[in-house]
């Protein structure tokens, strides 16, 4: 069993780690939340909402969460399945008569939910993704459908499709008799009390962040527009905060029966396709949910890429843990940050009841001309974490306290100072001011000014 305060202590460090990573990677802003057992245990924001104005980012700022919309649309659809108003094997045209006579109309609900329909990703003109025109409206989506959406036969392989989820939005409208945004509010946002979450851009009370361009071809970022997604709202239109998003996606975990039956939750998380993530890692896709492995556990969830924003949420359905990271730059490493945050939480949850008082007395951030290390106790272990690395738990040094001022380094690799001793020199406040011996570093601020 980890110590009683293992999770709060780990999250205190995780917050500093996020702040440093934002500074290190020059991301305008990062908003993050962690929910465990339904309790919001971290709700934080660092940086700015808009680089041009310098407006500070807060936890109340809303983001365009882009393809997270698919997970939320899937929850809405599965509520209709639970109520008997929709079946996974229904053809789209049964609920959206305007699709009759098209290949889109013959697609099954489960094929739309799992990206198994073989449908075109965005249509034959993707200018709206480049802010060259508005997103398709209802008539525009029907025009895409009538021109033919099939690019490969259905149920052959995974083929990501925003158009497919746009068609799902039409199915939801047909099954409920109301516009998709209203169905979203009635079936998801309102029952959960999510005041900042909506199916598409709206005039909510909470401020909206500014999206920023990437640094792949320029040295400065520019502000990017954020139009309504209109008929593609079910695919990419939603707005939310990290805190509310963790609550919405918690509804797929084993312990949460607020919206969905246990069977619906399991079906959503069941892997239908194997996929490869943008980071090259192996993953999968269920019904509106991305799947990936972190520390030997399968996490569900979704990511999102919007004009100027990148976001990611991870859900450990068995342990009832939800992690969400939202960034307001199109090249923001949301996936990397969310996985790192999940790994820090995992380290605390998997910890032991080893004595921690002495271990924590060595904690702090330290640097030299050669690099930087955070010394932190996580789950009963004293670790030397490199905050400059993308993964905070990759190649960490474990430190064994020998007495009040010395630790033995159990180096992660043979290239380090394994089996050697680092000596802590403490200041008047008792905290470590510098390291000597096998390490030579001075204490620094957790995030540079």
């Amino acid at each position: 069993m980890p110590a009683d305060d293992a999770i709060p202590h780990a999250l205190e460090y995780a917050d500093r780690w996020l702040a440093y990573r934002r500074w290190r990677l020059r991301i305008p802003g990062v908003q993050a939340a962690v929910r465990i057992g339904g309790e919001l245990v971290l709700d934080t924001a660092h940086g700015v909402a808009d680089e041009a104005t310098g407006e500070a980012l807060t936890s109340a700022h809303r983001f365009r969460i882009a393809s997270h919309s698919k997970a939320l649309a899937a929850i809405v659809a599965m509520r209709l399945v639970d109520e008997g108003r929709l079946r996974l094997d229904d053809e789209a045209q049964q609920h959206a008569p305007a699709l009759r006579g098209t290949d889109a109309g013959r697609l099954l609900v489960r094929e739309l939910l799992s990206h198994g329909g073989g449908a075109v990703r965005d249509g034959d003109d993707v200018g709206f993704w480049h802010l060259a025109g508005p997103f398709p409206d209802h008539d525009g989506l029907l025009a895409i459908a009538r021109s033919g959406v099939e690019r490969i036969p259905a149920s052959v392989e995974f083929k990501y499709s925003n158009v497919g989820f746009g068609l799902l939005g039409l199915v939801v409208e047909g099954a409920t008799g109301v516009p998709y945004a209203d169905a979203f509010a009635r079936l998801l946002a309102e029952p959960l009390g999510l005041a900042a979450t909506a199916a598409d851009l709206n005039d909510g009370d909470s401020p909206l962040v500014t999206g920023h361009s990437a640094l792949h071809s320029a040295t400065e970022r520019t502000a990017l527009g954020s139009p309504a997604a209109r008929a593609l709202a079910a695919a990419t239109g939603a707005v939310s905060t990290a805190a509310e998003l963790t609550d919405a996606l918690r509804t797929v975990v084993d312990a949460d029966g607020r919206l969905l039956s246990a069977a619906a939750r399991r079906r959503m998380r069941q892997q239908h396709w194997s996929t490869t993530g943008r980071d090259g890692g192996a993953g999968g896709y269920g019904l509106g949910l991305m799947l990936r492995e972190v520390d030997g556990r399968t996490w569900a969830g979704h990511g999102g890429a919007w004009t100027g924003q990148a976001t990611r949420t991870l859900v450990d359905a068995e342990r009832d843990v939800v992690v969400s990271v939202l960034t307001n730059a199109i090249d923001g490493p949301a996936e990397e940050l969310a996985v790192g945050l999940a790994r820090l939480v995992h380290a605390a949850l998997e910890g032991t009841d080893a004595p921690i008082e002495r271990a924590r007395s060595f904690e702090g951030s330290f640097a030299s001309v050669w690099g930087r290390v955070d010394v932190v106790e996580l789950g009963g272990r004293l670790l030397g974490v490199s905050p400059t690395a993308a993964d905070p738990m990759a190649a960490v040094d474990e430190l064994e306290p020998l007495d009040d001022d010395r630790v033995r380094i159990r180096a992660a690799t043979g290239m380090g100072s394994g089996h050697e001793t680092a000596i802590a020199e403490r200041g008047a406040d008792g905290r470590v001011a510098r390291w000597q011996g096998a390490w030579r570093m001075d204490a620094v601020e957790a995030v540079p000014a």
Side-chain angles (χ1 to χ4, degrees), residues 5-66:
D5 68 340
I7 296 299
H9 187 75
L11 291 173
E12 182 181 335
Y13 172 67
D15 193 28
R16 297 197 304 273
W17 175 79
L18 282 169
Y20 177 78
R21 293 298 293 164
R22 186 211 68 81
W23 175 88
R24 166 84 171 173
L25 298 172
R26 307 302 192 262
I27 306 164
V30 174
Q31 188 187 89
V34 176
R35 194 175 294 269
I36 301 178
E39 180 184 357
L40 185 63
V41 291
L42 179 68
D43 186 16
T44 189
H46 299 284
V48 296
D50 185 331
E51 279 198 338
T53 66
E55 177 189 357
L57 181 65
T58 71
S59 297
H61 276 93
R62 296 182 302 158
F63 283 70
R64 302 303 298 277
I65 56 173

Side-chain angles (χ1 to χ4, degrees), residues 355-363 382 401-404 426:
I356 58 174
E357 184 175 351
R358 174 181 282 174
R360 289 184 180 179
S361 75
F362 289 101
E363 290 184 322
L382 186 64
L402 300 175
D403 54 34
D404 289 346
R426 299 182 182 273

Side-chain angles (χ1 to χ4, degrees), residues 255-276:
D256 191 328
R258 290 176 296 168
L259 294 186
L260 298 172
S261 68
R265 284 172 271 153
R266 289 195 304 270
R267 286 171 182 153
M268 287 185 68
R269 302 190 321 253
Q270 181 181 6
Q271 182 168 323
H272 285 247
W273 303 103
S274 296
T275 64
T276 301

Side-chain angles (χ1 to χ4, degrees), residues 13 84 135 169 395 445:
Y13 172 67
F135 276 69
E445 293 296 324

